[in-house]
Amino acid sequence: GNMSVSASGQGGLLLRVDPDQTERLAGEPHARRFEMRGREMDGWLRVDAEGLETKRELERWVRLGISYAKSLPPKG
């Protein structure tokens, strides 16, 4: 039940990460905080398609999103 990663309609990925890691991860190339209604969200990132050009790059981001989602309590 917890969202981990999604293909973005604007290209690239939207993924959920540990909120404490948001700032560090958003500083990586092609990654930034996800913005909703003008507000940047802790624990959410957008990764541009340019940062997902190789299988290794894509797998890394997907693994981060899945790992964090698995750490959350199950939804009832």
Side-chain angles (χ1 to χ4, degrees):
N2 290 301
M3 190 264 194
S4 59
V5 63
S6 174
S8 171
Q10 299 171 347
L13 289 180
L14 170 64
L15 71 141
R16 192 168 185 187
V17 296
D18 183 337
D20 293 336
Q21 298 296 315
T22 305
E23 192 67 34
R24 180 182 67 77
L25 293 169
E28 295 195 20
H30 308 292
R32 63 186 184 281
R33 288 174 180 262
F34 175 69
E35 189 177 308
M36 181 179 284
R37 298 184 186 127
R39 182 173 161 237
E40 290 183 340
M41 310 288 289
D42 283 339
W44 296 90
L45 295 176
R46 178 176 301 282
V47 180
D48 296 328
E50 293 82 7
L52 308 166
E53 292 179 343
T54 67
K55 183 178 178 181
R56 185 177 184 170
E57 290 169 327
L58 175 62
E59 286 177 342
R60 176 180 176 257
W61 289 111
V62 169
R63 207 171 28 254
L64 281 169
I66 290 172
S67 176
Y68 181 66
K70 283 183 173 182
S71 76
L72 298 171
K75 290 190 170 191

